[in-house]
Amino acid sequence: MLRLFKSALLAAALVCSAIAAPMPQIVKQGKKFSLLVDGKPFIVLGGQVNNSTGWPSRMQEIWPVYKALHANTAEIPVYWEVVEPKPGEFHFEAVDQIIRDARTQNMRLILLWFGTWKNGVMDYAPSWVKADTVKYPRMLDSGGKPVRVLSPHSETTMNADRNAFAAFMRHLKEVDGDLHTVIMVQVENEPGSLFTDRDHAPAANKLFEGSVPGALTTALKKNAGTWTQVFGPEADEAFAAWHVAKYVNEVAAGGRKEYGLPLYVNVWLRERKNFMRPGEAYPSGGATSNMLDIWKAATPSIDVIAPDIYVMDYAGYRAVCESYGRPDNALLIPETGGFGAFARYMFYALADYDALGFAPFGIDRIGAGTVPDGVPGVSAGTSIADLVRPMMDNYRLLGPALDQIAAWQGTGKLHSAVEEDQITERLLTFTDYEVLAQFGRTESSYGGTFASGTARKTGRAMVSEVAPDEFVIIGFDTTVRFEPRRGSKLKSAQFLWVEEGRFENGEWKAARRLNGDETFFRLNLPAQGAILRAKLMSY
Ligand code: DGJ
């Protein structure tokens, strides 16, 4: 009897603590955005599965991949065509099983609503939407030809998507409103239109000839006028962006009313090496960098506009982080590359741009086979396991330190030090010290000691000043040296102590103290990675 009573109490306590867990949310404190999960800042170390992997049976093969990657969050699609095979008839069995399995795996989920738009087309709309082109009209291109994209001007289509998305969010609340295994939802996927810059149907043309809505000109601080007067050569794209964004916002608002999880929209970027033609090089009307202000004005029900960053060069990658991580928008990278260079770009995103999360796309492939022909920047036949190892190493090393990294973000005292072509050293400036990070072998020459770079550009680190004269350095294939900050009267810096260790439940656990050969010339982060903590003095 007593035992029964005790377990009833325990069950009640568990239920209470589950109910008490606050909703995931995105907040801004000072200049810094945070994603709060269970009331604490959470950084998504994610991975997105391939498009047709959102099935429990297929996921059984993928959960071990997440484990091998050391990810904390799985990004998995939910398909409108599967959820609502007939109008008003909803099926959430697959979603429910995936949520249960994620709990067993101790993983969080970000679910991706593949609705009206998927990569600038309509392929995930249910067949009853696809088949009825009168009720659910397609966009017309400038020649009047219908394309494979639903028109954002149809209230009927919007209501159908909103209704389905609301049913999905209502269901999520029922099955996960206490435990919050699902921490965020993506609304649509890379919305906008391929094949046309905007809808050229007669009703849309009429709207286009009219004035830009006052709400938009006011938000953008522009004078009133027609779309062409206000936006000049970008008028068609701006018109598309406003209407697509308003539509997506309506869908989001419908879902949010049911269950207030953080919502984001992902973007097929225009920053690729191509002619920047909206509707050709990228979906027109998406939240590309040139349309971001319009999207922000149109989407109060969406927390974050999130770039899918496949830009291969580091300057381009950083530029995208810079343009999406802005005072009114947190940086979240829901899709990116998983190979080679992207492993070091992760350090920029987390340390320099305070990213809420980072997730390579197509993690199904990890560990399997070799690269086929035609993958940019990689020779065919290279082992995929080798290619993704740096990313797996990142997750393994950074995973246990995420609470700390989240706390250091936004302080101005966290910086990346990343190797690039011809960039073999980085000089970082902190309150009283300068830190010189170097990659590869070093050699003395006129003017100091210079580094040669590593064979495969694997040098990547982040340095945080965690207390006065105290630093944590995390990374791979990097050496670091300290000097008093330039301009200081002090001439020399010396270690009081250096430790190598790890973070465990927010606590620093030193495994050993480093001294002698290990600290005399410089500190060293080896190829397999390390976390060092160093206390200095200067004199
Ligand atoms: C971006 C899309 O959002 C994903 O769903 C997927 O199609 C990838 N592109 C493929 O590279």
Side-chain angles (χ1 to χ4, degrees):
M1 186 63 182
L2 184 66
R3 195 182 300 146
L4 210 66
F5 179 67
K6 269 193 185 155
S7 46
L9 266 188
L10 184 69
L14 280 177
V15 169
C16 284
S17 69
I19 288 173
M23 279 291 286
Q25 53 174 320
I26 292 173
V27 295
K28 191 176 184 196
Q29 282 154 332
K31 290 184 178 166
K32 159 82 178 91
F33 288 98
S34 303
L35 165 65
L36 302 184
V37 173
D38 294 341
K40 279 189 358 194
F42 180 92
I43 293 178
V44 173
L45 273 197
Q48 187 168 140
V49 295
N50 285 341
N51 291 163
S52 304
T53 301
W55 295 92
S57 53
R58 178 81 183 115
M59 281 305 299
Q60 287 317 314
E61 296 165 45
I62 309 302
W63 292 119
V65 179
Y66 278 110
K67 275 278 159 296
L69 184 62
H70 297 95
N72 60 21
T73 305
E75 294 181 352
I76 300 178
V78 173
Y79 317 108
W80 185 13
E81 63 172 352
V82 173
V83 160
E84 195 183 8
K86 291 191 187 139
E89 187 186 305
F90 292 102
H91 287 273
F92 296 111
E93 296 82 358
V95 180
D96 290 349
Q97 187 59 48
I98 286 172
I99 293 175
R100 283 195 293 272
D101 291 343
R103 287 180 188 152
T104 313
Q105 300 291 330
N106 203 15
M107 294 279 292
R108 302 283 181 165
L109 291 174
I110 294 177
L111 297 179
L112 321 173
W113 177 248
F114 284 11
T116 297
W117 285 281
K118 163 73 175 72
N119 297 23
V121 294
M122 58 172 289
D123 293 357
Y124 283 88
S127 38
W128 49 270
V129 171
K130 285 181 185 147
D132 195 340
T133 56
V134 176
K135 191 164 180 190
Y136 306 107
R138 309 289 171 88
M139 286 174 123
L140 303 188
D141 69 12
S142 56
K145 193 175 117 212
V147 294
R148 211 169 92 216
V149 194
L150 290 162
S151 170
H153 305 290
S154 162
E155 217 170 307
T156 310
T157 315
M158 191 270 288
N159 282 335
D161 191 346
R162 183 175 56 188
N163 187 42
F165 186 65
F168 163 57
M169 294 297 280
R170 189 159 55 241
H171 182 78
L172 273 189
K173 184 178 180 186
E174 274 162 30
V175 298
D176 193 46
D178 49 359
L179 294 180
H180 308 139
T181 300
V182 182
I183 56 172
M184 251 193 294
V185 171
Q186 177 186 297
V187 193
E188 312 295 343
N189 190 89
E190 296 186 343
S193 60
L194 288 179
F195 317 124
T196 182
D197 54 358
R198 67 171 174 87
D199 189 359
H200 292 266
N205 285 342
K206 205 155 167 236
L207 265 181
F208 180 72
E209 279 150 25
S211 298
V212 176
L216 181 56
T217 44
T218 309
L220 301 185
K221 299 191 174 61
K222 288 184 182 279
N223 294 331
T226 63
W227 289 90
T228 310
Q229 284 163 346
V230 176
F231 294 101
E234 287 191 320
D236 298 275
E237 187 179 6
F239 174 81
W242 175 251
H243 288 284
V244 172
K246 295 282 281 178
Y247 180 123
V248 176
N249 187 65
E250 279 299 314
V251 173
R256 189 165 214 139
K257 221 161 98 196
E258 299 296 337
Y259 185 37
L261 278 182
L263 301 176
Y264 73 91
V265 173
N266 66 330
V267 187
W268 177 334
L269 300 177
R270 74 204 287 261
E271 283 82 4
R272 302 296 294 273
K273 312 266 176 305
N274 212 321
F275 295 113
M276 284 192 187
R277 302 282 188 275
E280 289 174 28
Y282 60 92
S284 182
T288 43
S289 48
N290 56 330
M291 295 291 127
L292 194 46
D293 291 339
I294 295 181
W295 264 80
K296 289 306 286 187
T299 56
S301 293
I302 286 163
D303 296 275
V304 178
I305 308 282
D308 292 345
I309 320 186
Y310 294 96
V311 172
M312 304 279 289
D313 68 294
Y314 92 93
Y317 203 96
R318 286 182 63 99
V320 173
C321 292
E322 186 105 34
S323 50
Y324 283 84
R326 53 185 232 177
D328 61 351
N329 195 62
L331 178 66
L332 169 72
I333 306 176
E335 285 185 41
T336 190
F339 295 160
F342 294 102
R344 56 183 197 270
Y345 297 169
M346 184 177 173
F347 281 70
Y348 295 129
L350 294 182
D352 298 339
Y353 297 102
D354 297 344
L356 302 185
F358 187 91
F361 176 81
I363 78 145
D364 310 40
R365 289 170 301 193
I366 288 183
T370 53
V371 176
D373 276 330
V375 177
V378 191
S379 2
T382 314
S383 139
I384 291 180
D386 282 350
L387 279 177
V388 296
R389 190 150 298 126
M391 190 65 84
M392 294 170 106
D393 287 342
N394 284 359
Y395 278 42
R396 170 182 50 75
L397 187 70
L398 300 180
L402 287 180
D403 288 353
Q404 277 66 38
I405 295 171
W408 301 331
Q409 287 183 332
T411 59
K413 294 178 180 176
L414 172 68
H415 302 293
S416 73
V418 176
E419 178 181 5
E420 297 295 349
D421 245 340
Q422 309 303 326
I423 300 179
T424 55
E425 37 246 328
R426 299 272 191 179
L427 183 62
L428 311 176
T429 305
F430 294 91
T431 315
D432 292 321
Y433 294 89
E434 287 176 346
V435 179
L436 182 64
Q438 296 186 296
F439 314 108
R441 288 166 52 82
T442 51
E443 232 176 67
S444 294
S445 181
Y446 294 112
T449 306
F450 300 94
S452 59
T454 63
R456 297 169 73 184
K457 288 190 279 298
T458 42
R460 57 201 192 281
M462 60 177 79
V463 184
S464 179
E465 181 182 343
V466 297
D469 303 341
E470 194 171 324
F471 295 84
V472 173
I473 309 118
I474 307 181
F476 304 83
D477 269 334
T478 305
T479 61
V480 288
R481 288 189 288 143
F482 291 79
E483 288 289 349
R485 190 172 168 158
R486 199 156 62 93
S488 148
K489 295 215 166 33
L490 303 169
K491 294 281 171 262
S492 302
Q494 181 181 344
F495 294 120
L496 289 179
W497 49 260
V498 180
E499 292 174 341
E500 184 183 60
R502 63 186 196 287
F503 289 98
E504 215 178 273
N505 303 321
E507 300 257 304
W508 172 248
K509 303 269 182 204
R512 60 174 175 151
R513 206 163 252 236
L514 301 182
N515 208 335
D517 294 346
E518 279 67 54
T519 61
F520 193 91
F521 301 101
R522 53 187 65 86
L523 301 185
N524 180 37
L525 299 168
Q528 73 273 20
I531 306 186
L532 305 180
R533 188 168 189 137
K535 183 83 177 175
L536 285 102
M537 58 167 288
S538 43
Y539 56 97

